[in-house]
Amino acid sequence: MMKAVLLGSVSSKPTTENFTSCMLVQNEAKVYLFDACEGVQMRIMQSGISFMKIDSIFLSHFHADHILGIPGLIATMELSERQSPLNIFGPKGIKQRVSEILNLMNIGHSFKINYKDLSEGKVFENEKVEIYAKKFIHRILNYGFIMKEKDKVGEFNRKKAEKLLPPGPLYKQLQDGKTVTYNGKKIKPEMVMDYNKGRIGKKIGYIVDTYDKGYEKFIGNADILFHESCFMKEEEKRAKQTKHSVMEDVIKISKKAKVKKLVLFNYSNRYLEDLEKTKKKIKSKDIVFGNDLDCFELK
Ligand SMILES: [Zn+2]
């Protein structure tokens, strides 16, 4: 099961209720953070998920409202005696940027930080998930992300297997769908695999701060897409100037891309007061106006 939590939902500056935009995904024992708003560590604690489980952080771009939480988070990880390495992905120059901020604030860390400059395409892969990045038009270099959970053909039933053969490399072959021979006896994968427990991996998108259009392929068939919705159509001119999205365009693009659930967020403070009125105009239950700490389970 995957879980995505919107940690902050407004653009540029926080309010008394809302933090600026960022989101995390928990996939089994690992957590992946997309952007790090000011005070992100507090929001993560409130979500009930351990910030120590963060495996990798993906920063879309170097505007302050998306990265201010980094030094505080790393300082707290160090105080909490983190041992495991942390990956930080960001636009070109990420290592220098973050190192300078940490030096300036005298934040040391005894755990290793692996910095990686982003490029387009697959940027991360482990045994459970793959993450893809794509450049999105903004005032500065900016990336959007797709996280794809790997398909699971079924679940290996250890109890059943142990009755047939002892643990060893043959287990892996059975999990890979190969028939093996033990003590002259043929053992087929279906004898140890619960294929009814298989599942198609889920696809989650995270896109902020862009006036881009025509990226349906990148977000195609996403199970859930977190997409900024900074402005309304009436403020199209300002959206163009500041390179932000217009809600109506985002809805159109995600419909075309057959996104199953669209979570709008990153609202401009300028129209927060009108948000309730706007919500009433949108009838689809597959379009959600995200709020801080909204949690979405992907079963
Ligand atoms: Zn920005």
Side-chain angles (χ1 to χ4, degrees):
M1 204 254 284
M2 293 230 280
K3 196 161 125 182
V5 184
L6 190 62
L7 299 168
S9 58
V10 294
S11 72
S12 311
K13 51 183 187 182
T15 69
T16 51
E17 306 285 320
N18 307 95
F19 283 22
T20 58
S21 298
C22 55
M23 188 271 285
L24 69 72
V25 178
Q26 181 172 31
N27 177 260
E28 299 186 15
K30 287 185 176 167
V31 172
Y32 307 87
L33 181 65
F34 295 87
D35 283 342
C37 65
E38 183 182 346
V40 67
Q41 51 176 319
M42 203 170 99
R43 275 288 186 257
I44 299 172
M45 287 181 230
Q46 288 168 332
S47 77
I49 292 168
S50 168
F51 59 82
M52 295 296 263
K53 288 185 178 165
I54 295 174
D55 177 89
S56 302
I57 301 172
F58 297 85
L59 300 175
S60 60
H61 64 298
F62 294 135
H63 276 155
D65 48 333
H66 297 266
I67 55 172
L68 278 171
I70 287 286
L73 182 61
I74 289 173
T76 305
M77 283 176 171
E78 175 67 8
L79 288 169
S80 309
E81 298 176 359
R82 183 182 173 114
Q83 305 283 320
S84 52
L86 174 71
N87 302 315
I88 303 182
F89 294 78
K92 199 169 186 307
I94 180 74
K95 183 174 181 177
Q96 194 190 348
R97 293 254 186 181
V98 176
S99 307
E100 279 175 5
I101 294 169
L102 297 181
N103 284 340
L104 187 74
M105 297 185 177
N106 272 318
I107 299 171
H109 52 90
S110 37
F111 58 94
K112 191 172 183 320
I113 300 182
N114 301 311
Y115 294 99
K116 285 170 194 162
D117 285 343
L118 287 168
S119 54
E120 290 198 316
K122 194 197 282 181
V123 291
F124 179 88
E125 182 175 8
N126 63 18
E127 68 285 3
K128 302 283 181 195
V129 300
E130 288 173 341
I131 294 172
Y132 296 83
K134 184 186 178 322
K135 281 182 195 165
F136 278 79
I137 297 169
H138 189 39
R139 300 197 302 281
I140 55 172
L141 183 58
N142 179 37
Y143 285 89
F145 302 99
I146 285 290
M147 178 168 180
K148 174 88 180 71
E149 182 190 18
K150 289 185 177 173
D151 297 340
K152 195 170 145 190
V153 287
E155 216 168 83
F156 182 68
N157 190 322
R158 211 177 165 88
K159 273 188 188 162
K160 279 188 196 169
E162 280 173 355
K163 283 181 191 157
L164 300 167
L165 73 171
L170 294 180
Y171 277 20
K172 175 83 177 70
Q173 290 188 33
L174 285 162
Q175 286 173 58
D176 291 343
K178 291 176 189 147
T179 299
V180 302
T181 307
Y182 178 72
N183 273 352
K185 216 173 118 191
K186 276 198 171 163
I187 300 162
K188 291 181 177 174
E190 54 266 35
M191 293 160 77
V192 296
M193 293 292 292
D194 292 332
Y195 285 117
N196 57 344
K197 288 186 177 163
R199 81 187 219 127
I200 305 284
K202 301 289 180 187
K203 186 174 173 180
I204 301 175
Y206 177 84
I207 297 167
V208 287
D209 293 21
T210 185
Y211 189 70
D212 224 328
K213 288 183 176 80
Y215 47 87
E216 291 86 352
K217 206 175 151 197
F218 185 65
I219 59 170
N221 297 306
D223 292 279
I224 187 163
L225 172 66
F226 294 84
H227 199 302
E228 76 131 333
S229 173
C230 201
F231 295 106
M232 304 290 297
K233 202 76 187 166
E234 300 88 77
E235 295 208 74
E236 170 105 46
K237 205 173 146 199
R238 188 162 166 78
K240 221 176 205 175
Q241 273 168 1
T242 60
K243 302 279 187 291
H244 274 285
S245 297
V246 166
M247 185 188 77
E248 290 82 348
D249 293 340
V250 176
I251 292 175
K252 216 184 281 172
I253 294 167
S254 62
K255 267 187 187 160
K256 235 171 138 182
K258 296 191 167 61
V259 167
K260 295 182 189 89
K261 188 180 272 299
L262 171 64
V263 181
L264 299 166
F265 72 114
N266 199 64
Y267 319 112
S268 162
N269 288 256
R270 295 154 64 91
Y271 82 81
L272 271 180
E273 282 171 20
D274 293 333
L275 202 57
E276 288 308 313
K277 259 193 273 167
T278 308
K279 283 179 189 173
K280 282 181 192 143
K281 283 193 226 163
I282 307 293
K283 305 283 181 220
S284 169
K285 62 175 179 23
D286 300 325
I287 301 171
V288 175
F289 287 83
N291 254 316
D292 290 33
L293 292 172
D294 278 354
C295 178
F296 303 87
E297 290 186 351
L298 294 114
K299 289 176 184 160

